[in-house]
Amino acid sequence: MSNASGGLVDRRVLVRALIDALPDALVVSGLGSPSYDLFAAGDRELNFYLWGAMGGASSLALGLALAQPERSVIAISGDGEQLMGIGSLATIGAQRPENLTIVVLDNGRYGETGMQPAHTSLGTNLVEVARGFGIADAFEVDRLDQAGEIVRRVNARAGVAFARVKVQVNEPPRTFPPRDGSFVKNRFRAALGFDPF
Amino acid sequence: MSASDGNGGWQQAVFDTLKAGGIRQIAFVPDAGHATAIRAAEADPDIRDVVLTTEEEGVALVCGAWLGGERAALLMQSSGVGNCVNMFSLLRNCRFPFLSIVTMRGEYAEFNPWQVPMGKATPAVLESMGITVMRVSEPQQVAEIVGAGIDAAFQAGERVAILLSQSLIGRKQWVASNE
């Protein structure tokens, strides 16, 4: 099967560029490759890695963004993860926290389970979906040098932004973040100055 | 007035107890039994009201709130419990505190058979996912038991669902939507 992956974005390089440019951001990653990508950019206390709860990344990031209005919050998920929780974009479009940016790494595949074709390669356009849910600042990223457009919005904290990143269909080496959710949660809270639970 | 009329006292007690317990985000899929609390949350500048498209969003949302240092609660109907099941894995894996107030259908004077299967299954589904189930059946118990649930969730770190019995809520009354 042909694809035009050569011209698309390397997911690892993009996520590392975001994290390098945004060292203070609070970051939530969806299960599978986005969590591996985030960890591969360097483990951070302010990363919250999901290994399950598919569809929950952007909703979790919304609750975090509402609780921490002075901090920039980024949700990084895959197209399958975002589609499973697609209604969350309607909820985010209604709440409109100024400090939330959603980055969907879209390879049009279910990468974790054998690269089966997914909806975004079968007709769904996530940017149009996001706009339809009231997220006006929804945009495509298909070149690495556009990472700065994401960074600018995260730093501006001027409204919800939604970036659909067209990433190469590949499988970088799997790099596993901690699977102990309680540890990751308590570490994250401690970094914000909160007691563990 | 709405179907909550005559229930305004205990319904207000739900909200007042949540607010007194430091709840800062209230997420919900609407239900008539939660109507007073939802209206109060919308009107309260100290509380963020978040309307959801499906209840499982709310499970993830309240976890994110706690991650960011805020207490949050999820209001839903028993049918919504079924929508949440896999998302409940967040709670046990990460030991998030969790508080949900669940209005029951399908258990008392129910007219709609479609509400019955999930209503009957609700307590078992919650317990099977590691959530402690408490129940309120008398109006005067509401503040006490909701308060106990808040303590269990946010002081002992438990996962708690408080079921509001359908007998407490009463028979469904059809009302005009502009009331």
Side-chain angles (χ1 to χ4, degrees), chain A residues 80-100:
Chain A
E81 207 275 352
Q82 187 59 67
L83 278 162
M84 190 173 282
I86 198 67
S88 68
L89 296 183
T91 300
I92 289 165
Q95 295 295 320
R96 302 179 192 221
E98 295 185 339
N99 56 332
L100 177 60

Side-chain angles (χ1 to χ4, degrees), chain B residues 163-175:
Chain B
L163 310 186
L164 303 181
S165 292
Q166 193 170 9
S167 59
L168 176 70
I169 298 157
R171 286 174 169 79
K172 186 174 180 75
Q173 299 170 39
W174 299 96
V175 294

